[in-house]
Amino acid sequence: MAQNNKELEKLAYEYQVLQAQAQILAQNLELLNLAKAEVQTVRETLENLKKIEEEKPEILVPIGAGSFLKGVIVDKNNAIVSVGSGYAVERSIDEAISFLEKRLKEYDEAIKKTQGALAELEKRIGEVARKAQEVQQKQSMTSFKVKK
């Protein structure tokens, strides 16, 4: 019976560790989806900018807290895009869109890998829970037989 208690403690600890790992992966997945959505919005904005025929179209510039200033796009043929590590480069609109599409594919791959890892963890969590349930059932059957 003591061995069953030790096994249950071990399974409970493993279950908690796996749950914590799954929670971290779920948070990472949420962050990846948010970042992907932001890149998609930027790409769509640049694609729509290409369709505007005005030379210097007006825009609203967000300044925070839901507030905006009216502005004018001085150069609608080029954009400055972040390339990571705090660096940004000027690219033509088409090059910027192409760069963002590559970044979207990278996000898709990272999301797919994270979803796969999360599914594996959830499968393992289920296995640990089933095993703990089996140990508990054995323990209750043993204690039932002893009490007779």
Side-chain angles (χ1 to χ4, degrees), residues 1-2 6-7 15 32 58 69 72 89 92 111 118-119 147:
M1 203 132 101
K6 283 186 179 181
E7 190 173 354
Y15 184 85
L32 286 168
E58 283 189 13
L69 293 174
V72 176
V89 295
S92 72
I111 288 168
L118 186 56
K147 289 182 181 178

Side-chain angles (χ1 to χ4, degrees), residues 11-28 117-118 121-122 125:
L11 289 170
Y13 176 74
E14 184 178 358
Y15 184 85
Q16 288 176 338
V17 168
L18 291 170
Q19 283 282 45
Q21 290 174 345
Q23 186 176 6
I24 290 169
L25 279 179
Q27 289 171 346
N28 287 346
L118 186 56
L121 265 179
E122 289 171 347
I125 288 169

Side-chain angles (χ1 to χ4, degrees), residues 4-5 10 21 23 37 46-47 55-56 63 71 74 88 101 105 123 134 141 145:
N4 283 344
N5 285 339
K10 179 183 169 193
Q21 290 174 345
Q23 186 176 6
L46 292 177
E47 287 174 346
E55 187 59 36
K56 293 186 178 183
I63 57 172
V74 179
E101 286 172 350
K105 287 178 185 174
K123 180 180 172 186
E134 289 171 11
M141 294 295 279
K145 287 179 184 177

